[in-house]
């Protein structure tokens, strides 16, 4: 009986692995780790782009050697090598990370995002999953996803799926047309098209899926980076030896480019985009230097033993550093330098993974049966663990406290919701009710009392409708944080909302807005871009003038107006963000907070007199929730019946419904006043 054919995956046994390439891998992974560890190197995340160029070079060189030797490419052998080289180590990392995540990371969204990312990583679509769950690479949610870093592995594996086919096409054309330039032309065309896509601003495109197709996590505007590495391999495999002086100059320019990348690129840089040329060109120069003359000083430096050792382990270091940083930060959120300490500690599981997973599996020979078993275990274990974590976290692990927090952080219910341009959300209830209508406008602090106002409207047999937009005040103003542009949609939101109410049937209009922008010196605000100010005195003056103008305009349209006083806000000193609390901390009550009554009153008194003054000047009414949310001791985030605050400054749907009792008599009184 003959044995099944076997496949070797020992890539390290070939003589093609160049030491300077491994040293360059070390530089790339150290760039990324330094960025994630919180060191002042804002462009370190571009180390991923260095990896992409290296991968394009290495894979193309390997495939070209096989084509030159055998006249064909064994895709089965290629894909088997890639699977064994990458997936088992990834599977171990994902499995261990998900087990730690279940105990440490918050079940109020981050656990679910991590579990979805884990499943996506096994099917090489983690980049797509992250884009649609965690969101932006530099957003706050990204800080809590312990598998955020695997997005680049999915992009790389997507490249591995398609790029060999393009090369085979190029070499086949070269053989048929007897031109060696065919593969170069094919790869160059891919590079040109991809780079053109990288220059397109996805925010300027309106077609569905534009951000997914051209965004940070997409392979389409990144393919040119792999293609650049591939072009180096295609053009220099039969190179003539260049002078050491030219190779040295290329190497020095390459190192300078990577150093510059660390400081001139940051989270505000459009990426991928024109600036991506800097790390890609720098890597290109370093590859050319090593290929032209490996004895030049820069390539010899990259070939030094410590850098080569780090480069050999760069894959495991990349896999493990971010999960350890996220988990350590969740366990010790206030410990100074914890990210850097965790990044160093991550070397331990990375080295173990390299020693006991990567190396043994790469050196083995596989029969069809043993390869099938490896694939089954490699994919099955992390998928089962991730699914269990997702199911458990979604159900609150059967814990009543966790389930209460999950209810508190869910979006407020609306049966007839419409998403309008500019992030505006329109909601309506009971359109057929016979009483005068009730309207609600404002920012997210209007959205979080929507249940209260809608419930009160229902109790008074009134139809209800709301239009709210995050961060947008209910008066004509421009708002934005210091160092960032103004929120672009607020002017349109205010104009559209006022036109909507002007044409609507007269009724009761409830205006609710967050007060924090008026005393927070990180927020700029004003009637125009030129007049924006961080001064509380200026901002409160803008509030009084703008709000009074809005109320008078609504009164002229026949509406009666109610101005709401804000809820107490848990500032940074009180540290209340349940979505950042792990499972055990939430269940034990360690994340609950109580704001002292005196502190809450002092905070609200900064703005309350100005709202009261507007009400007196315009004949409108005010409503105050303080005594419903706070007792003699203070303002708690949770009571036995339910969680009051979903985050530091928004109340839950349960808490909102509790406030309906304050609105009912006020709406009744205003409607009776308007009755003929």
């Amino acid at each position: 009986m003959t044995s099944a054919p076997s496949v070797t995956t020992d890539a390290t046994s070939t003589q093609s692995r160049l030491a300077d390439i491994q040293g360059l891998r070390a530089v790339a992974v150290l760039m990324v780790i330094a960025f994630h560890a919180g060191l002042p190197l804002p462009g370190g995340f571009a180390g991923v782009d260095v990896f992409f160029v290296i991968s394009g070079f290495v894979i193309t060189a390997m495939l070209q050697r096989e084509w030159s030797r055998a006249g064909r490419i064994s895709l089965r052998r290629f894909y088997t090598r890639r699977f064994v080289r990458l997936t088992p180590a990834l599977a171990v990392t994902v499995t261990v990370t998900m087990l730690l995540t279940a105990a440490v990371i918050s079940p109020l969204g981050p656990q679910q995002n991590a579990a979805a990312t884990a499943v996506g990583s096994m099917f090489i679509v983690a980049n797509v999953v992250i884009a649609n769950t965690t969101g932006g690479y530099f957003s706050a949610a990204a800080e809590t996803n312990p598998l955020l870093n695997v997005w680049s592995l999915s992009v790389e594996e997507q490249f591995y799926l398609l790029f060999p086919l393009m090369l085979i096409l190029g070499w086949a054309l070269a053989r048929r047309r007897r031109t060696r330039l065919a593969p170069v032309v094919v790869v160059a065309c891919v590079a040109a098209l991809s780079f053109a896509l990288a220059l397109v601003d996805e925010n300027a495109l309106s077609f569905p899926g534009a951000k997914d197709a051209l965004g940070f996590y997409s392979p389409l505007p990144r393919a040119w980076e792999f293609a650049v590495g591939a072009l180096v391999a295609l053009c220099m495999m039969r190179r003539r030896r260049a002078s050491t002086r030219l190779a040295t100059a290329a190497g020095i320019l390459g190192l300078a480019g990577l150093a510059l990348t660390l400081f001139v690129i940051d989270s505000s840089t459009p990426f991928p985009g024109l600036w991506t040329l800097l790390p890609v060109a720098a890597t290109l120069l370093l590859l050319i230097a090593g290929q032209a003359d490996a004895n030049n000083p820069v390539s010899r430096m990259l070939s030094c033993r410590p850098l080569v050792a780090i480069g050999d382990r760069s894959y495991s270091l990349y896999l493990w550093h971010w999960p350890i940083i996220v988990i350590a930060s969740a366990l010790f959120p206030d410990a100074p330098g914890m990210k850097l300490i965790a990044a160093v500690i991550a070397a331990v599981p990375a080295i173990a993974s390299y020693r006991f997973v990567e190396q043994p599996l790469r050196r083995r020979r596989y029969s069809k049966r043993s390869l099938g078993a490896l694939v089954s275990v490699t994919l099955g274990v992390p998928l089962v663990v991730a699914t269990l974590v997702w199911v458990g976290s979604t159900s609150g692990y059967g814990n009543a406290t966790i389930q209460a927090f999950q209810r508190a952080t869910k979006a407020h219910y609306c049966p007839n919701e419409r998403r309008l341009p500019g992030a505006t959300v329109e909601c309506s209830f009971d359109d057929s009710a016979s009483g005068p209508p009730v309207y609600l406008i404002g920012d997210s602090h209007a959205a979080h009392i929507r249940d209260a106002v809608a419930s009160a409207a229902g109790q008074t047999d009134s139809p209800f409708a709301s239009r709210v937009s995050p961060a947008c005040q209910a008066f004509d103003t421009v708002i934005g944080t210091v160092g960032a542009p103004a929120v672009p949609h607020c002017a349109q939101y205010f104009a559209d909302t006022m036109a909507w109410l002007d044409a609507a049937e007269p009724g009761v209009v409830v205006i609710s807005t967050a007060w924090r922008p008026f005393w927070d010196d990180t927020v700029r605000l004003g009637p125009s871009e030129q007049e924006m100010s961080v001064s509380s005195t200026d901002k409160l003056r803008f509030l009084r003038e703008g709000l009074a103008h809005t109320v008078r305009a609504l009164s002229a349209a026949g509406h009666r107006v109610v101005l709401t006083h804000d809820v107490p806000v848990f500032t940074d000193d009180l540290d209340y963000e349940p979505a950042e609390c792990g499972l055990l901390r939430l269940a034990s009550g360690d994340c609950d907070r109580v704001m002292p009554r005196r502190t809450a009153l002092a905070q609200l008194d900064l703005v309350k007199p100005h709202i009261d003054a507007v009400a007196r000047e315009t004949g409108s009414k005010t409503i105050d929730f303080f005594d419903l949310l706070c007792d003699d001791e203070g303002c708690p985030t949770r009571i036995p019946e339910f969680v009051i605050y979903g985050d530091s400054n928004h109340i839950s749907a349960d808490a909102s419904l509790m406030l309906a009792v304050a609105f009912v008599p006020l709406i009744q009184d205003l409607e009776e006043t308007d009755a003929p």
Side-chain angles (χ1 to χ4, degrees):
M1 181 176 180
T2 59
S3 61
S6 62
V7 178
T8 181
T9 61
D10 185 14
T12 61
S13 65
T14 70
Q15 297 300 313
S16 61
R17 192 195 71 166
L18 302 176
D20 65 311
I21 301 298
Q22 294 304 92
L24 190 52
R25 290 186 198 271
V27 172
V29 78
L30 290 174
M31 288 173 65
V32 177
I33 292 174
F35 173 75
H36 285 156
L39 296 180
L41 301 171
F45 67 90
V48 168
D49 301 275
V50 177
F51 274 124
F52 288 163
V53 180
I54 295 172
S55 293
F57 171 81
V58 171
I59 293 302
T60 303
M62 181 183 71
L63 292 173
Q64 181 155 279
R65 283 192 298 272
E66 183 176 350
W67 182 270
S68 299
R69 182 180 64 252
R72 60 185 296 274
I73 298 295
S74 172
L75 291 176
R76 176 177 176 270
R77 181 187 296 272
F78 174 80
Y79 292 133
T80 299
R81 283 178 175 175
R82 292 304 93 202
F83 180 88
V84 175
R85 170 70 181 88
L86 301 174
T87 312
L90 172 63
V92 172
T93 306
V94 167
T95 301
V96 174
T97 299
M98 291 312 303
L99 292 173
L100 293 174
T101 292
V104 176
I105 304 300
S106 172
L108 307 181
Q111 275 196 32
Q112 291 88 334
N113 288 344
T117 304
V119 173
S121 70
M122 292 295 101
F123 293 108
I124 65 172
V125 290
N127 54 330
V128 178
V129 172
I130 290 170
N132 289 281
T133 55
T134 303
Y137 186 74
F138 305 103
S139 67
E143 293 285 327
T144 62
N145 188 341
L147 292 173
L148 178 75
N149 59 323
V150 302
W151 75 269
S152 65
L153 304 182
S154 287
V155 170
E156 189 161 328
E157 289 167 342
Q158 289 158 12
F159 158 77
Y160 293 151
L161 282 176
L162 298 178
F163 214 75
L165 301 177
M166 297 180 190
L167 289 173
I168 291 172
L169 173 63
W171 286 320
L173 290 173
R175 176 185 291 168
R176 180 175 300 177
R177 297 178 180 274
R178 297 183 179 180
T179 172
R180 295 181 178 180
L181 292 179
V184 175
V185 171
V186 169
V187 175
C189 288
V190 171
L193 178 59
S194 173
F195 184 64
L197 292 176
L199 298 180
V200 175
D201 180 6
E202 71 271 15
N203 295 311
L205 300 177
S206 58
F207 67 85
K211 290 190 176 182
D212 290 336
L214 302 178
F216 185 92
Y217 300 109
S218 173
L220 298 181
R222 303 268 188 182
W224 69 277
E225 302 174 39
F226 295 98
V228 165
L231 288 172
V232 176
L234 291 171
C235 295
M236 300 196 70
M237 285 295 287
R238 294 183 176 87
R239 70 193 186 282
R240 292 182 178 180
R241 183 180 177 86
S243 71
T244 301
R245 182 176 298 177
L246 288 176
T248 301
I252 291 174
L253 286 174
L255 285 181
L258 291 184
L260 196 60
T261 295
L262 292 171
F263 297 101
V264 302
I265 291 175
D266 59 29
S267 59
S268 66
T269 306
F271 220 85
L274 189 61
W275 276 102
T276 315
L277 277 171
L278 182 57
V280 170
T283 309
L284 169 68
L285 289 170
L286 288 167
L287 289 174
I288 290 174
Q291 292 298 291
D293 179 9
N295 290 319
N296 75 81
V298 174
S299 296
R300 288 204 309 270
M301 181 198 71
L302 290 174
S303 301
C304 70
R305 186 171 296 177
L307 282 180
V308 171
I310 294 173
D312 288 345
R313 295 156 180 81
S314 59
Y315 180 58
S316 285
L317 287 168
Y318 182 82
L319 282 177
W320 282 99
H321 81 281
W322 180 247
I324 299 299
I325 287 174
V326 172
I327 290 166
S329 298
L331 286 171
F332 309 102
D334 301 320
M338 179 47 63
K339 287 185 176 182
L340 181 57
I341 295 170
V344 174
I345 293 173
V348 175
I351 292 172
S353 176
Y354 176 77
R355 172 67 178 82
F356 298 109
V357 179
E358 281 192 65
Q359 290 298 89
L361 291 178
R362 290 170 67 187
R363 290 170 176 162
R364 287 192 59 182
R365 296 179 67 87
Y366 294 90
S367 65
K368 288 183 178 180
R369 179 176 297 179
S370 62
L371 182 61
L374 177 65
V375 171
S376 298
V377 173
T378 297
L379 296 180
V381 173
L383 287 175
V384 168
V385 172
T387 301
L388 290 174
V389 172
W390 189 88
V391 171
S393 60
T394 301
S395 62
Y397 295 100
N399 181 279
T401 301
I402 301 299
Q403 291 168 347
F405 273 106
Q406 289 181 328
R407 288 193 301 273
T409 54
K410 286 183 178 178
H412 295 217
Y413 171 72
C414 176
N416 300 306
E417 185 175 277
R418 285 203 308 151
R419 300 280 172 169
L420 303 177
T424 300
V425 178
E426 183 180 279
C427 177
S428 61
F429 285 82
D430 300 327
D431 293 341
S432 61
S434 59
V438 176
Y439 307 99
L440 172 66
I441 63 172
D443 58 12
S444 62
H445 281 223
H448 76 171
I449 64 166
R450 187 175 67 194
D451 299 85
V453 182
S455 176
Q459 294 178 53
T460 59
D461 194 29
S462 299
F464 167 81
S466 67
R467 279 197 179 192
V468 299
S469 187
C472 295
Q473 307 294 318
F475 60 94
D476 196 3
T477 189
V478 181
I479 188 171
T481 56
V482 173
V487 179
H489 58 264
C490 287
Q492 191 63 50
Y493 162 75
F494 177 73
D496 291 347
T497 299
M498 293 302 288
W500 171 65
L501 289 172
D502 187 57
E505 179 185 349
V508 176
V509 178
V510 178
I511 298 178
S512 184
T513 187
W515 287 0
R516 183 168 186 169
F518 300 100
W519 48 262
D520 188 338
D521 60 8
T522 67
V523 177
R524 302 181 302 137
L525 186 148
S528 66
E529 289 267 9
Q530 295 72 29
E531 296 175 89
M532 292 178 76
S533 174
V534 297
S535 165
S536 292
T537 301
D538 292 339
K539 291 189 289 187
L540 288 169
R541 175 168 55 84
F542 298 147
L543 169 66
R544 288 184 61 161
E545 294 172 354
L547 198 55
H549 184 269
T550 296
V551 175
R552 291 191 179 101
L554 293 173
S555 298
H559 298 291
R560 301 297 303 275
V561 179
V562 177
L563 305 176
T564 66
H565 290 309
D566 202 9
V567 301
V569 172
F570 286 78
T571 58
D572 296 338
D573 293 339
L574 290 166
D575 185 29
Y576 178 73
E577 287 294 344
E580 296 178 3
C581 286
L583 176 71
L584 300 179
R585 291 183 63 199
L586 284 173
S588 67
D590 185 46
C591 292
D592 298 341
R593 297 290 182 268
V594 177
M595 184 187 301
R597 184 180 179 90
R598 179 180 300 178
T599 301
L601 287 171
Q603 178 194 106
L604 296 178
D605 283 345
L606 295 171
V607 182
K608 186 175 182 179
H610 300 273
I611 302 294
D612 290 336
V614 171
R616 287 193 302 271
E617 295 167 6
T618 60
S620 53
K621 300 290 186 179
T622 62
I623 188 168
D624 194 340
F625 315 123
F626 185 82
D627 289 334
L628 291 171
L629 297 173
C630 307
D631 55 29
D632 292 339
E633 294 184 2
C635 309
T637 58
R638 182 164 67 99
I639 57 177
E641 294 79 10
F642 52 80
V643 174
I644 295 178
Y645 279 81
D647 60 28
S648 63
N649 69 114
H650 295 98
I651 60 173
S652 66
D654 288 332
S656 181
L657 285 171
M658 179 179 68
L659 304 183
V661 66
F663 280 102
V664 171
L666 185 59
I667 291 173
Q668 287 175 332
D669 180 57
L670 289 172
E671 291 178 345
E672 289 171 2
T673 301
D674 286 341

